[in-house]
Amino acid sequence: YIQFLQFNSKNIVENDEELFTALKGLKQYGVILIDNMPSSTEETEQVARRFGPPRETFYGTMWDTAPKPGAEVNDTAYTKDPLHPHTDASYLFDMCGLQCFNCVAQSGSDNDVEDSTEGCTKLVDGFKIMELLKLNEPETYNFFLNTNLKWFCKEEGVHMEMVEKAFSESPYKIFRYNNYDLDTVDYLPFDFIPEYYKHTKVINDYMRAEDNVVLARLNVGEMVIVDNQRVCHGRTGFTGFRNMVGCYVGRDDWYSKLRVLKDRFAVAWFKFSI
């Protein structure tokens, strides 16, 4: 499950063996933390590019999460509201692989105390959720393993849509779940609809349960990278100004980098298929 292996940005940029260790950490735990990060978009891209080329989407290649005025908001990411844990781009055929969040501004709390939970990043290991449901809620597990769901994103000039199962066990283990992106259920057979609402409540309860959520309040100069096909991210609400500069990296690209470095360092490390 989630463990934070920590790395220095300078070492990631300059040392391939350190990069290989970071990639192994991502494969094993689904998340890593990089400190000593610069704040500019260009330097953030330089570090992210070590894991693979930033992926261009309709959000751009590099983006940030700075809050926008209400009239300009077309995505809850650009508000100060709390966000439940979710995977990004569930509505894409080729769902994004890695997601990078470089903290360049962190909201202060009303009391300005160090242990504030304001503006915390929420992380949930989707593989843990799959295992818990398989053990405790097998009907819900089988529903998400076997039922195609429709995910969508629609805004000006864009209409993305994907029909896919939330869980995959083979040939690759994948967790895809974003309650914000689920479409209306008119595509499901009528007798499936009560089951849909029953099981989405169960999975949402598990994903929001305190025992399954890791809170990490990033400091300026820290970047978290998550495997977006495994680890869900969200946040607690905040006041003031908070901003993350980031990007996506494709799964093919970071797996390729991992294989190349594995071959170079002749390490028989993986018992998992990559």
Side-chain angles (χ1 to χ4, degrees):
Y1 302 145
I2 288 175
Q3 294 186 33
F4 279 101
L5 299 185
Q6 192 161 345
F7 302 90
N8 181 280
S9 64
K10 186 173 186 291
N11 294 338
I12 290 292
V13 170
E14 297 179 357
N15 187 315
D16 282 352
E17 196 159 5
E18 187 81 347
L19 175 63
F20 179 48
T21 302
L23 286 162
K24 288 192 295 182
L26 277 168
K27 185 68 174 66
Q28 187 165 10
Y29 301 116
V31 59
I32 61 170
L33 184 71
I34 301 178
D35 60 21
N36 197 35
M37 281 292 299
S39 291
S40 74
T41 300
E42 294 74 21
E43 290 169 302
T44 302
E45 180 178 351
Q46 181 187 23
V47 178
R49 193 170 283 278
R50 290 285 283 160
F51 295 84
R55 177 176 173 180
E56 184 171 3
T57 68
F58 56 90
Y59 296 110
T61 303
M62 301 296 296
W63 37 255
D64 68 74
T65 64
K68 296 180 179 179
E72 298 178 22
V73 170
N74 57 358
D75 190 303
T76 48
Y78 303 115
T79 69
K80 300 182 181 183
D81 298 337
L83 298 177
H84 292 301
H86 58 279
T87 54
D88 264 21
S90 301
Y91 41 73
L92 296 181
F93 278 83
D94 180 15
M95 185 179 167
C96 299
L98 299 180
Q99 188 159 13
C100 306
F101 294 100
N102 181 20
C103 181
V104 299
Q106 180 58 279
S107 171
S109 71
D110 292 338
N111 301 318
D112 201 25
V113 291
E114 256 184 53
D115 63 349
S116 170
T117 58
E118 181 176 303
C120 283
T121 297
K122 299 177 184 177
L123 298 172
V124 172
D125 190 340
F127 290 178
K128 177 183 179 181
I129 299 299
M130 290 170 70
E131 291 172 13
L132 288 173
L133 291 176
K134 188 175 185 179
L135 179 65
N136 301 321
E137 309 283 351
E139 287 187 10
T140 297
Y141 170 80
N142 285 317
F143 178 85
F144 287 110
L145 183 68
N146 298 309
T147 306
N148 283 318
L149 300 175
K150 187 184 290 186
W151 320 84
F152 84 108
C153 177
K154 190 173 184 180
E155 53 187 80
E156 187 174 356
V158 173
H159 187 168
M160 299 292 181
E161 189 173 283
M162 178 61 182
V163 177
E164 183 57 277
K165 300 171 180 69
F167 300 169
S168 173
E169 293 280 9
S170 178
Y172 292 102
K173 193 168 186 175
I174 294 173
F175 182 90
R176 173 197 304 257
Y177 193 80
N178 188 329
N179 199 61
Y180 302 107
D181 291 344
L182 285 167
D183 205 346
T184 53
V185 292
D186 54 357
Y187 60 93
L188 289 174
F190 183 76
D191 57 347
F192 264 57
I193 293 176
E195 295 297 301
Y196 169 89
Y197 284 111
K198 179 175 78 172
H199 296 307
T200 52
K201 182 183 186 308
V202 172
I203 193 173
N204 284 330
D205 287 346
Y206 270 75
M207 290 177 64
R208 298 168 191 180
E210 188 175 318
D211 288 348
N212 297 329
V213 179
V214 174
L215 288 181
R217 192 171 195 273
L218 298 179
N219 297 310
V220 173
E222 293 180 331
M223 178 165 76
V224 66
I225 301 181
V226 300
D227 179 352
N228 184 59
Q229 298 186 12
R230 170 181 177 176
V231 173
C232 304
H233 66 277
R235 67 165 182 245
T236 59
F238 61 94
T239 59
F241 185 75
R242 176 185 185 269
N243 192 19
M244 304 282 164
V245 170
C247 64
Y248 300 118
V249 173
R251 181 168 183 163
D252 286 328
D253 294 309
W254 80 270
Y255 267 38
S256 172
K257 182 66 67 77
L258 183 54
R259 294 186 190 102
V260 167
L261 293 178
K262 174 180 176 288
D263 291 343
R264 188 205 298 185
F265 295 116
V267 176
W269 181 81
F270 291 102
K271 62 181 179 180
F272 308 106
S273 171
I274 57 166

